[in-house]
Amino acid sequence: QKEVEQDPGPLSVPEGAIVSLNCTYSNSAFQYFMWYRQYSRKGPELLMYTYSSGNKEDGRFTAQVDKSSKYISLFIRDSQPSDSATYLCAMMNTGGFKTIFGAGTRLFVKA
Amino acid sequence: EAGVTQFPSHSVIEKGQTVTLRCDPISGHDNLYWYRRVMGKEIKFLLHFVKESKQDESGMPNNRFLAERTGGTYSTLKVQPAELEDSGVYFCASSQWTERTDTQYFGPGTRLTVL
């Protein structure tokens, strides 16, 4: 079983839609939860960084962490064609630097 | 401020040959990481440097892979001899740990193809 499960998609939505991306994980030691965005032929770019449980909002992006269910989500409001990319969830233990990535979800936002 | 740079952007070699990948981290970042993504799989951690010291190399696949970071600045990852299964995209990232955060900045990656 993988430590982090993420549906690879692809996910196709119309412009302006609310997008929901999710990951589940099995390691209860994870304390840091990240979402990265990766455009084609580029490296991953950090979007959101959350410590432990709760919600975090940054502009059109909201990250949620539910440690009791081992489930994290990223919501994108008013999606734009420029949001089309691969979104990767990632996690880390406390005191560790080793990041565990999900497989990434490919998102297409159609104008 | 310049980001993380990697060289080359793409390398095509034959099985059995040697390849050296280079990563230049963001200036002042003590932490440097190597990751790899093989076709159809998730990005996997290879190793982590703190300055010139290897902090964690638990993700290195085998002894054909050698990473160095002399002087605590740029890093190299050598694959010798290369095998077909080494093909993939190799990412480097750097960070500077502050309190609870460790924002890792990724380079564009080196796409390695072993024929």
Side-chain angles (χ1 to χ4, degrees):
Chain A
Q1 182 188 4
K2 292 181 183 179
E3 283 191 279
V4 180
E5 296 279 359
Q6 183 177 12
D7 186 339
L11 179 62
S12 183
V13 301
E15 182 176 358
I18 296 174
V19 175
S20 172
L21 304 167
N22 312 290
C23 288
T24 59
Y25 63 95
S26 57
N27 188 345
S28 57
F30 288 142
Q31 293 284 345
Y32 297 96
F33 303 91
M34 291 79 75
W35 285 95
Y36 286 86
R37 177 175 62 196
Q38 185 177 18
Y39 292 113
S40 181
R41 304 285 175 168
K42 302 286 187 182
E45 169 196 13
L46 183 67
L47 269 180
M48 302 287 284
Y49 188 109
T50 308
Y51 173 71
S52 196
S53 282
N55 293 358
K56 189 172 185 179
E57 189 172 321
D58 184 1
R60 297 185 295 110
F61 298 90
T62 299
Q64 289 185 348
V65 175
D66 181 350
K67 291 189 68 180
S68 62
S69 302
K70 297 189 178 69
Y71 186 87
I72 70 170
S73 302
L74 177 71
F75 297 96
I76 307 174
R77 291 182 297 280
D78 187 24
S79 56
Q80 303 295 310
S82 59
D83 294 329
S84 298
T86 296
Y87 289 80
L88 303 144
C89 63
M91 305 172 192
M92 251 189 328
N93 294 342
T94 300
F97 292 84
K98 183 176 178 178
T99 303
I100 308 298
F101 283 88
T105 299
R106 191 84 187 271
L107 172 68
F108 295 96
V109 181
K110 297 180 179 178
Chain B
E1 178 183 324
V4 176
T5 58
Q6 292 187 246
F7 182 83
S9 58
H10 194 182
S11 179
V12 181
I13 61 172
E14 293 190 351
K15 177 182 170 180
Q17 289 186 320
T18 297
V19 64
T20 300
L21 313 180
R22 173 170 170 144
C23 168
D24 285 78
I26 292 173
S27 177
H29 280 189
D30 289 337
N31 296 304
L32 188 148
Y33 310 82
W34 284 98
Y35 294 88
R36 176 174 75 169
R37 184 168 197 164
V38 298
M39 183 70 74
K41 302 284 188 180
E42 58 274 9
I43 296 173
K44 291 270 195 185
F45 169 89
L46 295 179
L47 88 160
H48 167 219
F49 283 100
V50 178
K51 298 185 179 178
E52 66 271 17
S53 299
K54 290 176 185 174
Q55 184 76 14
D56 181 353
E57 53 184 328
S58 62
M60 294 288 263
N62 50 60
N63 58 10
R64 295 186 293 103
F65 289 75
L66 175 64
E68 295 180 323
R69 192 184 182 194
T70 307
T73 54
Y74 72 91
S75 175
T76 58
L77 179 65
K78 181 190 287 188
V79 185
Q80 179 184 28
E83 298 289 343
L84 298 178
E85 64 265 24
D86 300 332
S87 294
V89 182
Y90 289 77
F91 292 104
C92 174
S94 72
S95 72
Q96 187 64 8
W97 180 258
T98 56
E99 296 183 353
R100 287 180 170 178
T101 66
D102 178 43
T103 300
Q104 296 184 23
Y105 297 88
F106 280 75
T110 292
R111 187 172 297 272
L112 175 64
T113 302
V114 182
L115 303 176

